Amino acid sequence: MKKIINKKRNKNEPWFKWLTRELNSYEAFQYFELGKNPRDVAEDFISKNSISISEVFEDFDEEDKDTLDQFLKLTECEMHVFRILEKQIELRNKIRFVDFRKRKKIKS
């Protein structure tokens, strides 16, 4: 993880720190509000940063590949956590509480 991305900035910045910084400053939510889906937003990000990203691949080695694999696993794990939370919220909103102390007596 010794790669240099943006030569205008810190020349010793590893590619994953650069990527994280750029993604965090990309403001993807504004594109979601415009109706773009996540895949299109990602492709736009890649397109806008294609030169810097191509610089990464010039010296990409096995250590970098391992780092990328770990990021993919972490991202997938985070997605699953968010999906589980989403389902729990949906279930919570569907549950209706019944106060059995206030039930009516049924005449027979």
Side-chain angles (χ1 to χ4, degrees), residues 22-63:
E22 291 299 314
L23 278 169
N24 288 338
S25 66
Y26 187 58
E27 303 288 337
F29 291 107
Q30 72 183 1
Y31 299 109
F32 298 148
E33 288 175 3
L34 295 173
K36 286 192 171 189
N37 66 45
R39 181 180 212 100
D40 290 337
V41 174
E43 288 174 359
D44 288 347
F45 174 83
I46 295 294
S47 177
K48 289 179 182 175
N49 292 284
S50 62
I51 293 172
S52 294
I53 291 170
S54 68
E55 291 174 9
V56 169
F57 292 125
E58 289 175 9
D59 296 320
F60 214 71
D61 61 16
E62 282 303 311
E63 183 181 353

Side-chain angles (χ1 to χ4, degrees), residues 98-104:
V98 177
D99 187 351
F100 290 103
R101 294 174 290 177
K102 295 183 179 181
R103 69 181 170 173
K104 297 178 183 179

Side-chain angles (χ1 to χ4, degrees), residues 54-96:
S54 68
E55 291 174 9
V56 169
F57 292 125
E58 289 175 9
D59 296 320
F60 214 71
D61 61 16
E62 282 303 311
E63 183 181 353
D64 295 312
K65 174 87 170 77
D66 290 342
T67 300
L68 181 60
D69 289 342
Q70 292 303 314
F71 276 123
L72 287 169
K73 289 175 188 174
L74 179 60
T75 303
E76 184 176 354
C77 177
E78 290 172 340
M79 183 193 70
H80 287 295
V81 168
F82 291 135
R83 296 278 187 220
I84 290 167
L85 293 175
E86 180 182 49
K87 285 180 183 179
Q88 288 177 346
I89 290 169
E90 287 174 6
L91 285 174
R92 192 182 86 196
N93 290 337
K94 289 181 180 179
I95 294 175
R96 296 183 188 255

